[in-house]
Amino acid sequence: MLNPTAIDRLIIASGGVTRDFIGIFANSINQARNRDKSHHRGPKIGAEDVNLATGDYSPLKQEEFKLDTDSERKILEDEFKSLVDFCTETSKCNVFLVSQKLVGPVRESIDQLIDLRLVHPVKSRVTLKKGASGELFEAYMLDLSQYTAARKVHEFKMIDLGSADKDEDIRKASLIYSGSQ
């Protein structure tokens, strides 16, 4: 029913959240069923089906975002937009780093975005490859729904969290996010 790449993409897209996994999986089935039967991918669900399903699932997450963030919505929307812009335009990567020392509104916003399933924890202790004087960072992944289109358009690098090289791939100073400017 699923190609191996689709399984990996589905796990990444759901960010480890069961509700999202089920919703995106159901949408992926619909994408595969509605696809042209003569398509070269065959009848199995592929990574592209999951990408399309994730994009379709995004409005539901955005609606939950609006419902769950009544009083601080503007602050969170601005920080989330800044974070999405950083990942898609600046670092061009699905993973970003935040200093463990970061406190204040940016840290609070990231914590709330995790609760809203728009940001997913990747690793709690990361050091950089070069010149950060031993500072520790935390790695997070932007929700797949925010960059499925950006991957192709902007030469977006999607770090495979299942790969053996992932720990090295996330140790780059270019991935450090310090908040909206």
Side-chain angles (χ1 to χ4, degrees), residues 71-120:
S71 62
E72 63 271 330
R73 181 182 309 150
K74 177 70 172 133
I75 294 167
L76 274 177
E77 283 176 343
D78 290 347
E79 194 62 50
F80 187 58
K81 181 183 180 328
S82 174
L83 180 56
V84 170
D85 289 346
F86 173 79
C87 289
T88 59
E89 303 297 327
T90 304
S91 71
K92 297 185 180 192
C93 186
N94 65 325
V95 173
F96 64 96
L97 301 175
V98 175
S99 173
Q100 285 187 351
K101 296 177 185 176
L102 183 66
V103 294
V106 174
R107 167 58 72 185
E108 292 165 10
S109 292
I110 290 172
D111 290 343
Q112 288 182 340
L113 291 169
I114 291 168
D115 290 344
L116 292 166
R117 304 178 340 270
L118 295 168
V119 169
H120 308 286

Side-chain angles (χ1 to χ4, degrees), residues 59-72:
L60 176 63
K61 281 190 161 187
Q62 293 299 327
E63 186 61 31
E64 288 175 2
F65 179 89
K66 289 177 183 171
L67 292 173
D68 292 345
T69 61
D70 188 36
S71 62
E72 63 271 330

Side-chain angles (χ1 to χ4, degrees), residues 18 22 28 49-50 69 152 154 159 170 172 174:
T18 306
I22 293 168
S28 298
D49 297 315
V50 176
T69 61
K152 291 181 181 176
H154 304 291
I159 294 176
I170 64 175
K172 298 176 183 171
S174 63

Side-chain angles (χ1 to χ4, degrees), residues 21-32:
F21 183 93
I22 293 168
I24 295 168
F25 181 57
N27 287 349
S28 298
I29 292 169
N30 290 334
Q31 289 293 334

Side-chain angles (χ1 to χ4, degrees), residues 47-59:
E48 189 62 31
D49 297 315
V50 176
N51 285 345
L52 293 170
T54 302
D56 290 347
Y57 195 70
S58 182

